[in-house]
Amino acid sequence: MSSTELPETRTVAPASRAREVRVAEGEELRSVALPGLTLTVRARPAVRAGLPPALYVHGLGGSSLNWSTMMPLLADKVDGEALDLPGFGDSPPPDDGNYSVTGHARAVIRYLDAAGRGPVHLVGNSLGGATVTRVAAVRPDLVRTLTLVSPALPEVRVQRSAWPTALLALPGAAPLFARLTQDWTPEQRVRGVLGLCYGDPGRVTPEGLRHAVEEMERRLELPYFWDAMARSARGIVDAYTLGGQHGLWRQAERVLAPTLLVYGGRDQLVSYRMARRAAAAFRGSRLLTLPEAGHVAMMEYPDTVAAAVRELIDDNDGGS
């Protein structure tokens, strides 16, 4: 990016929205406009000045809200931000319609370059894990440490429970699914997602369920909701088929940043058995396995994941 491509930053004005985006206490939400791209960024300011920056990246169908529980647990360690990938959360679709893993990685890189926040402690879940793996491989100067929670890296034998996500990538599948489920309530949709993503959906509090339903209601009103889901799912499938130096496993081997891998034993979307391969691919990595966790361990077991991230930072940032 040239030095002239500086971001235009706007504070999000909830009053201008049909439905207000939830902002947890202590968080700030802002919109950052780049050429051809606008990203919403959720910030959790550090408790004191001078702490290193961190950036959190969500998975398919998620948003920066996925990090709201864990971010406060690290606010004394990092100056944390979580972004909404293009087409998700409160970020509009990218102008070029590129929802590939490379496209999402490019969005992260462009934001970090324009904001001047790198190198950061980079954390990603699922699609976000694949995205930040690519970022760390091609732009090592932007990454201090890398944490991957159930990263969507290629699997030879995909679990049967993950097939619906792959099928969503097929042409015409998204509008068909939208029609077939048009009578589902937002709560039914949320409970289905929780059943797929959590090892134990019972860990979700009534307040957490209410917030998730409200967010689902908001997203279903977005005209590009299904398109963003389908194109991003297609991007994951395409990334699984790439070989050579652009393959995600090859890029994992190129990552230089100290890496923490987090895998859940009850993950229905990313197989627990992939933990061993990932530990071998990311040089010198450390592995945290949570037998009872599902696909979003940072939401189910935020204290445990945050403690592991804290240890990674302490060991590589001099305990600052």
Side-chain angles (χ1 to χ4, degrees), residues 11-23 29 90 218:
T11 299
V12 171
S16 67
R17 305 182 182 282
R19 289 183 185 268
E20 182 176 341
V21 177
R22 187 171 67 85
V23 183
L29 205 64
D90 204 43
R218 187 190 70 82

Side-chain angles (χ1 to χ4, degrees), residues 156-192:
V156 176
R157 299 191 310 277
V158 178
Q159 296 182 99
R160 185 169 299 178
S161 52
W163 288 1
T165 302
L167 291 174
L168 187 63
L170 295 175
L176 174 61
F177 185 77
R179 289 196 299 272
L180 292 175
T181 63
Q182 61 184 344
D183 294 330
W184 292 13
T185 67
E187 181 171 342
Q188 287 176 315
R189 295 178 188 275
V190 167
R191 289 189 180 278

Side-chain angles (χ1 to χ4, degrees), residues 266-301:
R266 294 186 176 181
D267 194 332
Q268 299 182 62
L269 295 172
V270 170
S271 176
Y272 189 62
R273 67 176 181 267
M274 299 306 295
R276 180 176 298 181
R277 180 175 182 181
F282 290 90
R283 66 185 77 183
S285 60
R286 56 187 72 186
L287 176 63
L288 171 64
T289 57
L290 300 172
E292 303 302 313
H295 191 59
V296 287
M298 75 286 185
M299 299 173 74
E300 276 194 279
Y301 297 92

Side-chain angles (χ1 to χ4, degrees), residues 129-314:
T131 296
V132 299
T133 294
R134 185 149 288 171
V135 172
V138 302
R139 288 292 305 275
D141 59 302
L142 293 177
V143 185
R144 294 175 184 242
T145 66
L146 183 66
T147 296
L148 305 175
V149 182
S150 295
L153 300 176
E155 300 182 37
V156 176
R157 299 191 310 277
V158 178
Q159 296 182 99
R160 185 169 299 178
S161 52
W163 288 1
T165 302
L167 291 174
L168 187 63
L170 295 175
L176 174 61
F177 185 77
R179 289 196 299 272
L180 292 175
T181 63
Q182 61 184 344
D183 294 330
W184 292 13
T185 67
E187 181 171 342
Q188 287 176 315
R189 295 178 188 275
V190 167
R191 289 189 180 278
V193 171
L194 295 179
L196 185 63
C197 292
Y198 274 68
D200 178 11
R203 296 181 65 87
V204 179
T205 66
E207 181 183 37
L209 176 62
R210 177 170 57 83
H211 288 158
V213 171
E214 291 171 354
E215 175 63 8
M216 179 62 74
E217 291 172 342
R218 187 190 70 82
R219 292 191 196 183
L220 287 170
E221 293 178 352
L222 299 174
Y224 52 82
F225 171 80
W226 286 110
D227 187 59
M229 287 286 291
R231 288 175 182 259
S232 290
R234 195 171 305 142
I236 295 175
V237 172
D238 289 345
Y240 274 34
T241 63
L242 280 178
Q245 63 179 348
H246 299 296
L248 282 170
W249 285 115
R250 181 68 63 84
Q251 293 197 321
E253 295 171 352
R254 292 168 51 191
V255 171
L256 301 176
T259 301
L260 167 67
L261 303 165
V262 182
Y263 281 82
R266 294 186 176 181
D267 194 332
Q268 299 182 62
L269 295 172
V270 170
S271 176
Y272 189 62
R273 67 176 181 267
M274 299 306 295
R276 180 176 298 181
R277 180 175 182 181
F282 290 90
R283 66 185 77 183
S285 60
R286 56 187 72 186
L287 176 63
L288 171 64
T289 57
L290 300 172
E292 303 302 313
H295 191 59
V296 287
M298 75 286 185
M299 299 173 74
E300 276 194 279
Y301 297 92
D303 294 280
T304 304
V305 176
V309 174
R310 178 182 297 271
E311 183 177 336
L312 177 71
I313 294 172
D314 282 343

